[in-house]
Amino acid sequence: MVSFSKLFTAALVATLAAASSKRGAAYNDASLVRTLANSKSGSMSWSYNWDMKKNGNMPSGVEFVPMLWGTDSVDDWKSAVETALKDGSKHILGFNEPDNASQANIGASKAATLYKEYITPYGDRAKLVSPAVTSSTQSGEGLSWFKTFMSDCKSCNISAMAVHWYGGSFAQLESFMKEAIDAAAKYDIDEVWLTEFALDADTNGISNEATAKTFLEKSMQWMDSEAKVGRYAYFYTANKYLLTSGSVNALGKVYVSTSSSSSGSETTSTKTSTKTSTKTTSTKTTSTKTTSKSTKTTESSKTTTTKSADATKTVKTTKFVTSTKTVKHTKTASATPQAAWNSQPTKPASGW
């Protein structure tokens, strides 16, 4: 017979593992969160669904984090967030992509006013997270929007910054996250949450499993080792992404994996390369040329990423906003919303 002490110890280990995990589940269907989280105990510590209500039960050890999606959601906010806090939520997320015309679409100054009214009052009961901005480099969007928002929200009691990223490679993600970390630090925020991220090619479902796995492994290894990254959630916990027909697929197994052994070898390799390059002038010259080419490639990739991001948001618009907004955005979008989203639920009464 298994002793009570052994069972208690096992449960405690699982709870501590979950609490220390940065990984979360971005979801619509709560049952899929349970399937993913239960496939490996302690693999995830939190979840969110772009809503203020969890709309289903979370697995043990997984905190639901409510979000005030946008201006359409304020009427039901106070009662919903009170319920979430009573149920154990310890964090609150701000608006969803207020810098994006197809999502929450709120000016930075207005967003600051709304944040102070609806979210800041809960700062003594939960850790407050900023509105989640895109990785757009356009003026008035992305980190530019965040900086304007923070200049008007210095007394908002924000403890963490939230961002989204879509692009073409891990190198681009790492570069953007470092920019975000630097931007947050200017406002004494020492924690950044990446609450949506994926390759552009995978926004409508995983297009190439091997490529997605490599990207996800590198991204998680870096974020797990980067102290300034507080939490992250891959886009997203659903069929065609981390699951297939209701079961955890190969990519989902990578996501719940807790292994990060290869990150150490990468660091060692980098250090060795650096030492070698300092020994000879020729090695330094070669390294400089390579870096220069890499920089040019990155700049080119950023431009492409910005264009791709516009198309990506068209897809997400169909999923998360009202039909009126969808029609309006479709007319000006650079891509047609994909049929893959047609089966997704429409905006609930409480608002996305």
Side-chain angles (χ1 to χ4, degrees):
M1 178 181 291
V2 179
S3 68
F4 172 78
S5 60
K6 288 184 178 180
L7 288 174
F8 177 78
T9 301
L12 180 60
V13 169
T15 301
L16 291 174
S20 64
S21 174
K22 297 181 180 183
R23 294 168 208 178
Y27 73 96
N28 285 155
D29 185 341
S31 69
L32 297 182
V33 178
R34 295 193 296 272
T35 298
L36 185 64
N38 292 336
S39 68
K40 187 157 188 176
S41 180
S43 58
M44 292 189 294
S45 63
W46 70 287
S47 67
Y48 86 108
N49 61 349
W50 299 273
D51 196 3
M52 61 188 79
K53 300 175 182 178
K54 58 185 175 182
N55 301 318
N57 296 322
M58 290 297 103
S60 176
V62 175
E63 172 199 3
F64 170 72
V65 180
M67 168 187 275
L68 180 57
W69 191 92
T71 56
D72 293 343
S73 308
V74 297
D75 290 343
D76 299 324
W77 171 248
K78 291 183 179 179
S79 61
V81 75
E82 284 290 347
T83 298
L85 292 172
K86 289 177 182 177
D87 287 347
S89 296
K90 293 178 172 51
H91 301 79
I92 297 174
L93 286 164
F95 313 114
N96 185 70
E97 298 188 1
D99 59 315
N100 185 345
S102 69
Q103 295 294 304
N105 190 26
I106 311 172
S109 295
K110 181 179 179 180
T113 299
L114 292 171
Y115 197 100
K116 291 173 186 176
E117 180 178 356
Y118 291 100
I119 300 180
T120 299
Y122 298 99
D124 60 342
R125 300 169 61 189
K127 192 170 185 176
L128 308 184
V129 186
S130 78
V133 296
T134 67
S135 53
S136 170
T137 57
Q138 298 296 316
S139 177
E141 298 178 4
L143 299 182
S144 172
W145 186 99
F146 171 78
K147 292 172 183 177
T148 302
F149 168 81
M150 286 304 302
S151 67
D152 291 331
C153 215
K154 294 177 181 177
S155 61
C156 287
N157 198 20
I158 293 173
S159 299
M161 172 191 189
V163 294
H164 293 170
W165 178 90
Y166 294 92
S169 69
F170 161 68
Q172 292 175 15
L173 179 147
E174 181 184 20
S175 176
F176 170 72
M177 286 298 290
K178 287 181 177 179
E179 284 186 61
I181 289 170
D182 289 343
K186 293 179 180 178
Y187 302 96
D188 295 323
I189 298 173
D190 60 4
E191 185 176 338
V192 176
W193 289 24
L194 182 59
T195 53
E196 283 185 32
F197 74 100
L199 293 172
D200 282 331
D202 297 332
T203 55
N204 295 320
I206 305 306
S207 60
N208 183 292
E209 184 180 278
T211 300
K213 285 175 66 176
T214 299
F215 164 75
L216 193 54
E217 287 170 346
K218 289 182 178 180
S219 299
M220 291 193 303
Q221 286 170 7
W222 181 79
M223 289 191 286
D224 284 339
S225 64
E226 174 52 63
K228 298 295 184 180
V229 176
R231 286 180 168 183
Y232 59 84
Y234 183 72
F235 187 80
Y236 74 120
T237 302
N239 288 316
K240 296 185 179 181
Y241 297 85
L242 296 177
L243 300 97
T244 300
S245 300
S247 298
V248 179
N249 58 27
L251 191 64
K253 290 177 181 178
V254 169
Y255 193 60
V256 298
S257 171
T258 56
S259 173
S260 59
S261 58
S262 60
S263 61
S265 60
E266 288 180 1
T267 302
T268 302
S269 175
T270 302
K271 289 181 178 179
T272 303
S273 176
T274 302
K275 289 180 179 179
T276 302
S277 65
T278 58
K279 289 182 179 180
T280 63
T281 305
S282 59
T283 304
K284 285 184 178 180
T285 304
T286 302
S287 177
T288 303
K289 289 181 179 179
T290 303
T291 302
S292 178
K293 289 181 180 179
S294 176
T295 302
K296 290 180 180 179
T297 303
T298 301
E299 290 176 352
S300 175
S301 298
K302 284 184 178 179
T303 302
T304 304
T305 299
T306 302
K307 292 179 180 178
S308 299
D310 292 337
T312 300
K313 299 312 174 188
T314 305
V315 175
K316 290 165 63 184
T317 299
T318 306
K319 181 180 175 186
F320 298 123
V321 301
T322 62
S323 58
T324 302
K325 290 182 180 178
T326 302
V327 173
K328 180 179 179 181
H329 184 58
T330 302
K331 290 180 180 178
T332 59
S334 57
T336 304
Q338 300 297 313
W341 292 107
N342 292 342
S343 62
Q344 296 297 333
T346 55
K347 178 181 175 182
S350 60
W352 286 111

